């Protein structure tokens, strides 16, 4: 039976000692985010998800969701009670605006909530996670009336939200959508069409579901420039603003999936459903991207979350499972065999996992802080710089975070050997649940192309140049600290590889776009390596400072320094190999005709 315990000690270290969140107390939303408050929030949240949500993970995977003949959907046993407890405790309101019923805490703590929930039970977490994205879109583009009508109850958890993009014939190419929105005399629109892969599209957790639907009006351009966004509630609201008559939207089926079985991923049929335009007509894609960008950071955190849960269980198993003897002689001569933890190859997988999860946690939390600063920093320049940086890093958080998260989950399954292949141990579920994160909210190939094709060149390359300068500056500073000098030198070298890769793209990607496409995945991974290296430098700086101050918990800080050194030795060398792969270009990749791929 798998287990999960929220990594509260590491989270507190990142938020308090690395990000130094209490230093932002002068900014809106940070006034009540001192160390004591953060510690209390983190510990109580960790206790809640570990005790209430995590025990439903394996059973929810085994049971799945059930669609009934009337189109209604029941979530797995215990989900409704756990969701009610989640709402009653107010966790979903943590980082939402106070004027809409939220607690007004920093976004960085909201991302911490997402991590813990996803590690404990990713299927369960998706119900509230989709709602947060829908809230962000309505808050940014909805009319004041729409905001007052929907947001308070969505933020409280009484109602939930979804995003409806994909259709049977199109996924990423949204210009091809066929769902139609026909204007009505009362100012509403009749929405007709079919959407697929709709996470949390129908369920029994909330009294209403607010669907955000992309559709085209009759005279709209037949491209992405003709997409509009609509609010389509499951239940229409009565005069008092409460759920009344059922709208003409129904769940046609639940997708049969590899993982996240506890989340109802639906085919939704819209048969003239009543909808309300959000923002301007034909401007829906920009509105939906607000939701998608928030979701992409959340999905990157899902990669971290599944890696963390798998890692925790692999560590326990490696300490208990006995097979063979240590290569240097029996570690425990009184026993018939040593724990597999003594074997270097097992250590390799566990150390890789530790280096990735702790580095990725720091990156995710920094990303959350950047989101906060993009809205709340003291000056317009600081807000713009933070916004540029999080826009640059979002495809890296999503793409690199989920690629490595899945890889880590697979390696943790490998630690279990044959038992990792047996469902009751739960490792298969971590692998299956992690796999979807590489696909939805834009596949990782799309993330890589977004990074290379859009983010590098935005504002004349301002963000990537700022990133290079920041890494060089922090590496130079860390090289003057004896215990960080080796790591800093290695990260500095990897940053050099990233600069060279960027220059190669500038010289070869514009003249032949296939070169950019062929190298985008490798480029994203180089940037991921450098970014996590920067996180390890920052964590190393915090650890050195804590040890020098005699802060206690010396073993924790010493482990940080060792793990950072491991990251430098084992992760950063890949940057050079990836650059050389990228510089091979696209010629060989694109040469063979389709028939050459046939095997029969």
């Amino acid at each position: 039976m798998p287990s999960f315990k929220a990594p509260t000690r590491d989270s507190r270290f990142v938020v308090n000692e690395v990000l130094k969140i209490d230093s932002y107390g002068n900014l809106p939303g940070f006034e009540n985010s001192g160390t004591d408050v953060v510690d209390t929030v983190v510990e109580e949240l960790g206790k809640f998800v570990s005790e209430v949500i995590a025990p439903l993970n394996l059973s929810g995977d085994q049971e799945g969701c059930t669609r009934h003949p009337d189109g209604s959907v029941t979530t797995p046993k215990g989900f409704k009670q756990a969701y009610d407890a989640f709402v009653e405790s107010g966790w979903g309101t943590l980082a939402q605006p106070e004027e809409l019923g939220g607690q007004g805490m920093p976004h960085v703590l909201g991302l911490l909530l997402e991590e813990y929930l996803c590690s404990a039970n990713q299927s369960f977490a998706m119900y509230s996670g989709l709602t947060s994205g829908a809230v962000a879109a309505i808050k940014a583009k909805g009319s004041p009336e729409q905001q007052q009508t929907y947001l308070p109850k969505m933020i409280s958890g009484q109602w939930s939200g979804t995003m409806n993009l994909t259709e049977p014939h199109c996924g990423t190419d949204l210009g091809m959508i066929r769902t139609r929105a026909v204007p009505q005399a009362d100012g509403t629109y009749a929405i007709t069409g079919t959407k697929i892969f709709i996470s949390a599209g129908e369920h029994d957790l909330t009294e209403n579901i607010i669907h955000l639907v992309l559709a085209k009006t009759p005279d709209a351009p037949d491209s992405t420039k003709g997409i509009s966004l609509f609010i389509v509630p499951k239940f229409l609201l009565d005069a008092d603003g409460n759920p009344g008559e059922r709208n003409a939207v129904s769940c046609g089926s639940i997708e049969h999936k590899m993982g996240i079985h506890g989340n109802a991923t639906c085919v939704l049929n819209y048969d003239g459903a009543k909808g309300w335009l959000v923002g301007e007509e034909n401007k829906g894609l920009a509105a939906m991207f607000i939701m998608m960008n928030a979701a992409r950071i959340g999905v990157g955190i899902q990669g971290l979350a599944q890696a963390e849960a798998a890692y925790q269980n692999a560590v326990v198993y490696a300490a208990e499972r006995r097979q063979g003897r240590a290569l240097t002689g029996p570690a425990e001569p009184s026993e018939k065999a040593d724990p597999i933890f003594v074997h270097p190859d097992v250590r390799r997988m566990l150390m890789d996992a530790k280096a990735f999860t702790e580095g990725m946690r720091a990156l995710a939390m920094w990303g959350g802080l950047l989101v906060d600063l993009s809205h709340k920093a003291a000056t317009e320049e600081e807000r713009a710089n933070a916004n540029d940086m999080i826009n640059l890093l979002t495809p890296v958080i999503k793409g690199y975070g989920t690629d490595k998260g899945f890889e880590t989950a697979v390696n943790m399954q490998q630690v279990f050997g044959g038992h990792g292949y047996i469902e009751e141990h739960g490792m298969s579920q971590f692998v299956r649940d992690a796999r979807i994160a590489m696909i939805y909210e834009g596949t990782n190939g799309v993330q890589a192309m977004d990074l290379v094709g859009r983010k590098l060149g935005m504002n004349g390359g301002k963000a990537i140049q700022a990133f290079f300068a920041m890494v060089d500056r922090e590496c130079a500073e860390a090289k003057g600290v004896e215990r960080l000098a080796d790591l800093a030198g290695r990260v500095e070298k990897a940053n050099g590889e990233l600069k060279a890769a960027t220059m190669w793209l500038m010289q070869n990607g514009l003249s032949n776009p296939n070169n950019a496409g062929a190298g985008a995945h490798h480029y994203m991974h180089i940037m991921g390596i450098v970014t996590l290296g920067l996180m390890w430098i920052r964590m190393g700086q915090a650890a050195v400072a804590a040890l020098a101050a005699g802060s206690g918990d010396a073993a924790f800080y010493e482990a940080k320094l060792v793990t950072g050194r491991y990251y430098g030795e084992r992760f950063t060398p890949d940057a050079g190999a990836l650059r050389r792969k990228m510089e091979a270009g696209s010629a060989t990749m694109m040469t063979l005709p389709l028939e050459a791929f046939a095997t029969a």
Side-chain angles (χ1 to χ4, degrees):
M1 180 74 178
S3 62
F4 169 72
K5 184 177 180 181
T8 57
R9 177 66 183 93
D10 199 55
S11 299
R12 289 190 288 108
F13 167 72
V14 172
V15 174
N16 292 329
E17 301 177 61
V18 179
L19 299 181
K20 296 182 174 63
I21 195 171
D22 59 357
S23 68
Y24 297 95
N26 62 311
L27 301 180
F30 287 84
E31 305 95 331
N32 299 315
S33 300
T35 300
D36 291 344
V37 173
V38 169
D39 287 351
T40 300
V41 169
V42 170
E43 293 297 335
E44 289 301 315
L45 173 60
K47 181 179 179 182
F48 177 82
V49 299
S50 299
E51 295 179 359
V52 178
I53 309 301
L56 300 172
N57 196 35
L58 183 60
S59 61
D61 178 67
Q62 295 169 339
E63 180 184 345
C65 295
T66 303
R67 179 187 177 276
H68 304 287
D70 64 356
S72 63
V73 171
T74 303
T75 52
K77 183 179 179 180
F79 271 45
K80 172 61 175 170
Q81 292 77 10
Y83 184 81
D84 289 345
F86 174 76
V87 171
E88 184 178 351
S89 67
W91 287 118
T93 69
L94 188 67
Q96 296 294 349
E98 291 182 272
E99 63 269 21
L100 293 170
Q103 298 180 50
M105 299 290 278
H107 189 70
V108 63
L109 294 181
L111 293 188
L112 185 65
L113 167 68
E114 289 190 40
E115 182 202 335
Y116 286 8
L117 282 174
C118 288
S119 280
N121 191 325
Q122 183 167 315
S123 293
F124 179 90
M126 290 171 65
Y127 291 101
S128 60
L130 268 295
T131 303
S132 295
V135 165
I138 296 173
K139 190 166 60 177
K141 297 295 184 178
S143 67
E145 181 183 3
Q146 289 171 340
Q147 292 176 12
Q148 289 302 316
T149 298
Y150 297 104
L151 294 186
K153 290 186 178 180
M154 293 174 74
I155 286 171
S156 72
Q158 286 179 264
W159 300 351
S160 59
T162 71
M163 56 192 299
N164 286 230
L165 290 78
T166 307
E167 299 184 6
H169 63 285
C170 72
T172 302
D173 192 355
L174 293 172
M176 296 173 63
I177 65 172
R178 296 172 182 161
T179 299
R180 293 295 163 184
V182 179
Q184 305 296 296
D186 62 358
T188 64
Y189 291 76
I191 312 297
T192 301
T194 297
K195 297 290 185 177
I196 64 171
F197 304 160
I198 308 306
S199 300
E202 173 63 31
H203 55 80
D204 59 348
L205 302 183
T206 61
E207 61 185 36
N208 206 354
I209 303 174
I210 311 304
H211 302 293
L212 290 187
V213 183
L214 291 183
K216 292 179 179 177
T217 53
D219 298 324
D222 191 21
S223 67
T224 56
K225 295 181 179 179
I227 295 174
S228 299
L229 181 66
F230 300 87
I231 289 175
V232 186
K234 173 182 173 180
F235 291 103
L236 300 173
L237 305 185
D238 63 21
D240 297 322
N242 297 314
E245 178 187 353
R246 179 70 189 254
N247 206 352
V249 53
S250 60
C251 173
S253 64
I254 298 176
E255 306 285 6
H256 298 280
K257 302 166 296 186
M258 176 179 175
I260 54 171
H261 295 151
N263 193 270
T265 306
C266 300
V267 174
L268 291 183
N269 297 317
Y270 292 85
D271 301 302
K274 183 170 288 190
W276 285 261
L277 179 67
V278 178
E280 298 180 49
E281 188 174 341
N282 299 333
K283 302 292 185 181
L285 195 59
M288 185 60 82
F289 263 113
I290 294 170
M291 189 172 181
M292 290 181 68
N293 284 335
R296 284 172 174 174
I297 296 174
V299 171
I301 288 175
Q302 289 178 4
L304 159 65
Q306 293 306 301
E308 172 66 30
Y311 167 68
Q312 287 189 16
N313 285 274
V315 169
V316 172
Y317 186 82
E320 295 176 349
R321 176 70 168 175
R322 294 182 179 275
Q323 293 282 284
R325 290 296 192 186
L327 298 178
T328 54
E332 299 183 20
S334 61
E335 300 288 344
K336 290 185 177 180
D338 291 330
I340 62 172
F341 184 74
V342 304
H343 300 307
D345 193 57
V346 173
R347 285 287 192 113
R348 171 186 63 83
M349 292 185 285
L350 294 176
M351 283 297 294
D352 280 358
K354 182 175 176 63
F356 166 71
T357 54
E358 294 179 15
M360 188 64 199
R361 178 170 299 111
L363 174 57
M365 295 305 102
W366 181 43
L369 179 59
L370 288 171
V371 171
D372 284 316
L373 295 177
S374 70
H375 297 290
K376 300 175 181 179
T379 68
E380 183 177 347
E381 180 181 10
E382 290 173 310
R383 292 191 293 272
N385 289 341
N387 189 61
D388 285 347
M389 190 59 65
I390 191 57
N391 281 336
L392 176 70
L393 292 175
T394 292
V396 178
I397 291 172
K398 196 282 186 184
Y400 184 75
T402 58
D403 277 351
K404 297 298 288 187
F406 175 71
E407 177 187 310
T408 300
V410 170
N411 283 339
M412 297 305 93
Q413 183 187 39
Q414 185 74 14
V415 170
F416 276 68
H419 291 287
Y421 206 63
I422 305 302
E423 290 292 339
E424 67 188 73
H425 289 280
M427 301 307 288
S428 168
Q429 184 188 354
F430 298 135
V431 171
R432 289 184 285 105
D433 285 359
R435 187 62 184 87
I436 184 58
M438 301 163 70
I439 299 173
Y440 59 14
E441 305 308 337
T443 66
N444 286 358
V446 169
Q447 303 306 313
M449 283 303 298
D450 179 43
L451 175 63
V452 166
R454 294 179 66 244
K455 300 303 173 59
L456 291 185
M458 65 181 183
N459 297 330
K462 176 184 173 184
I464 189 64
Q465 292 301 326
F467 178 82
F468 291 151
M470 176 173 55
V471 175
D472 282 341
R473 182 175 63 251
E474 296 191 34
C475 284
E477 181 182 343
K479 285 168 73 174
V481 180
E482 182 180 358
R483 300 196 66 180
L484 301 177
D486 183 72
L487 168 63
R490 293 174 184 273
V491 174
E492 185 178 58
K493 183 177 180 180
N495 194 38
E497 301 285 6
L498 182 62
K499 292 176 185 177
T502 306
M503 183 60 68
W504 187 90
L505 282 173
M506 291 175 61
Q507 294 171 342
N508 298 275
L510 293 176
S511 60
N512 182 357
N514 279 341
N515 283 333
H521 170 83
H522 302 312
Y523 184 90
M524 180 177 71
H525 273 246
I526 299 170
M527 191 162 180
I529 290 168
V530 173
T531 307
L532 258 66
L534 177 64
M535 296 303 101
W536 274 109
I537 286 174
R538 291 178 178 179
M539 288 189 285
Q541 294 276 28
V544 168
L547 288 169
S551 301
D553 204 0
F556 174 86
Y557 296 115
E558 289 290 350
K560 282 292 177 190
L561 294 172
V562 171
T563 308
R565 189 163 69 246
Y566 180 90
Y567 182 89
E569 293 170 354
R570 297 283 178 150
F571 281 67
T572 61
D574 291 342
L578 289 168
R579 179 179 64 81
R580 288 188 289 276
K581 284 186 177 183
M582 197 187 84
E583 292 177 353
S586 62
T588 306
M589 183 182 294
M590 305 301 291
T591 294
L592 293 179
L594 177 62
E595 53 268 24
F597 289 85
T599 58

